[in-house]
Amino acid sequence: MAGQDLIKAVKEKGTTLEAEMSFFDHLEALRWHLMRAAISVVIFTGLAWYYYDFIFNKIIMAPFSGDFWTYRMMCKFGNSFCITHINGNIINTDMAGQFMMKLNSTILMGIIVAVPYILWELWRFIKPALLDKERRAASGFVFYASILFVVGILFGYYVIAPESIAFLAGYSISPIIQNQFTISSYLSMVATITLIIGIVFELPILIYILASIGILTGTFMRKTRRYSVVILLIIGAIISPSPDFLTTMIATVPLFALYEVGIVVASVVEKRRLKKHEEIMES
């Protein structure tokens, strides 16, 4: 009995060691993926630092100019939409404010540009744990997620951020109060709006993941569409500070489109799961 207990203990210990080694192997693999992703952010941050004059004048501060592309396009819809000047001045009130602004904005730019590579490293880490069918089904993850993120960033930068800047800079409760904005608050607002819209545009990817694990279905999304419309309108009103209905709808329509795309994605996944279940039942 003592010999059998010893053999059993050795087997159990071997199994435990194997599981521990597998766990640490995964941690080691994750560490290298994170390191490569961090290196990509550092590289793109360095490039942003090197070309900062162009980035600051042509990208960061562009929405604060009346000559910005969005404002010129709005003028084509009539004088009531035309914006030729942004009220207010950008100031700096901190001793290290301009240096920290340059540092923070270059890091932010490095992260945004590195997102497709970060997603690719994430896919490389997850891929070995997937079955062949799951790999084929999710083979376009990096491409579609990157495209949606870039489109969201562009929409936030060219549509939502300029509207927000024009409205907030022109808003005044009294003529005795002059609008002067710190460079940190300006950068924070533009960056927050742009990143939030970029993340929101990942909605179809999130829906695909939830549908794949059975939490969400196309049928459920169709049944709750009327409630989703109200929620999306609220979100559109939040991300677009201008109170007029047209501006709110400009921010909300893409969200409706993303939701409808999500319904199609969830329906496809649902049909695939039902077909697989039927095949299992028949066999």
Side-chain angles (χ1 to χ4, degrees):
M1 290 294 294
Q4 291 179 351
D5 291 340
L6 178 61
I7 294 173
K8 183 179 180 181
V10 170
K11 288 182 178 179
E12 290 177 351
K13 184 63 176 177
T15 304
T16 304
L17 287 173
E18 184 180 353
E20 290 177 353
M21 290 177 63
S22 177
F23 174 74
F24 285 113
D25 287 341
H26 284 300
L27 281 183
E28 180 68 13
L30 178 60
R31 184 173 73 90
W32 282 105
H33 287 297
L34 292 176
M35 285 183 61
R36 285 192 290 268
I39 290 172
S40 71
V41 172
V42 171
I43 291 173
F44 287 119
T45 299
L47 290 174
W49 185 280
Y50 183 78
Y51 293 103
Y52 192 74
D53 288 342
F54 172 82
I55 291 173
F56 180 77
N57 294 312
K58 300 298 183 180
I59 298 178
I60 295 176
M61 295 305 301
F64 203 78
S65 171
D67 192 44
F68 189 53
W69 179 86
T70 303
Y71 305 138
R72 287 188 279 112
M73 293 300 104
M74 290 173 64
C75 288
K76 294 183 178 181
F77 292 95
N79 293 332
S80 58
F81 298 100
C82 190
I83 297 173
T84 58
H85 176 71
I86 302 298
N87 296 320
N89 299 312
I90 300 291
I91 62 172
N92 173 53
T93 58
D94 296 325
M95 182 67 71
Q98 296 197 48
F99 174 78
M100 292 305 300
M101 189 268 182
K102 182 176 182 178
L103 180 63
N104 293 335
S105 57
T106 51
I107 293 174
L108 179 64
M109 191 66 66
I111 293 173
I112 291 175
V113 177
V115 163
Y117 182 79
I118 294 172
L119 291 174
W120 185 62
E121 287 291 346
L122 176 63
W123 168 248
R124 289 182 62 193
F125 175 71
I126 297 174
K127 185 178 178 180
L130 301 178
L131 301 174
D132 290 338
K133 290 184 178 180
E134 294 172 334
R135 290 180 186 178
R136 288 193 296 268
S139 59
F141 164 75
V142 176
F143 175 77
Y144 292 115
S146 300
I147 291 295
L148 288 171
F149 181 76
V150 171
V151 172
I153 289 290
L154 293 176
F155 182 77
Y157 177 76
Y158 280 104
V159 179
I160 305 301
E163 290 178 356
S164 302
I165 291 170
F167 172 73
L168 295 175
Y171 186 80
S172 176
I173 58 175
S174 173
I176 66 173
I177 301 176
Q178 295 182 350
N179 283 333
Q180 290 187 331
F181 313 103
T182 63
I183 187 63
S184 59
S185 67
Y186 170 79
L187 175 64
S188 176
M189 190 193 73
V190 174
T192 301
I193 290 175
T194 304
L195 282 175
I196 286 177
I197 301 300
I199 294 171
V200 167
F201 267 60
E202 297 290 341
L203 181 62
I205 302 297
L206 176 63
I207 291 173
Y208 175 81
I209 294 173
L210 295 177
S212 298
I213 59 180
I215 295 178
L216 201 60
T217 64
T219 304
F220 174 79
M221 292 182 68
R222 289 192 188 92
K223 290 181 179 179
T224 58
R225 182 185 275 120
R226 66 182 67 180
Y227 307 108
S228 301
V229 168
V230 176
I231 295 173
L232 293 176
L233 280 171
I234 294 173
I235 295 174
I238 292 173
I239 63 179
S240 179
S242 181
D244 62 276
F245 179 75
L246 180 60
T247 304
T248 302
M249 288 307 300
I250 290 175
T252 308
V253 167
L255 300 181
F256 290 153
L258 290 172
Y259 187 82
E260 293 300 323
V261 171
I263 290 177
V264 175
V265 171
S267 299
V268 171
V269 174
E270 184 180 6
K271 290 179 181 178
R272 187 183 301 162
R273 293 177 68 248
L274 289 174
K275 183 179 179 181
K276 184 178 180 180
H277 179 72
E278 290 175 357
E279 290 176 352
I280 295 174
M281 293 298 293
E282 291 175 355
S283 60

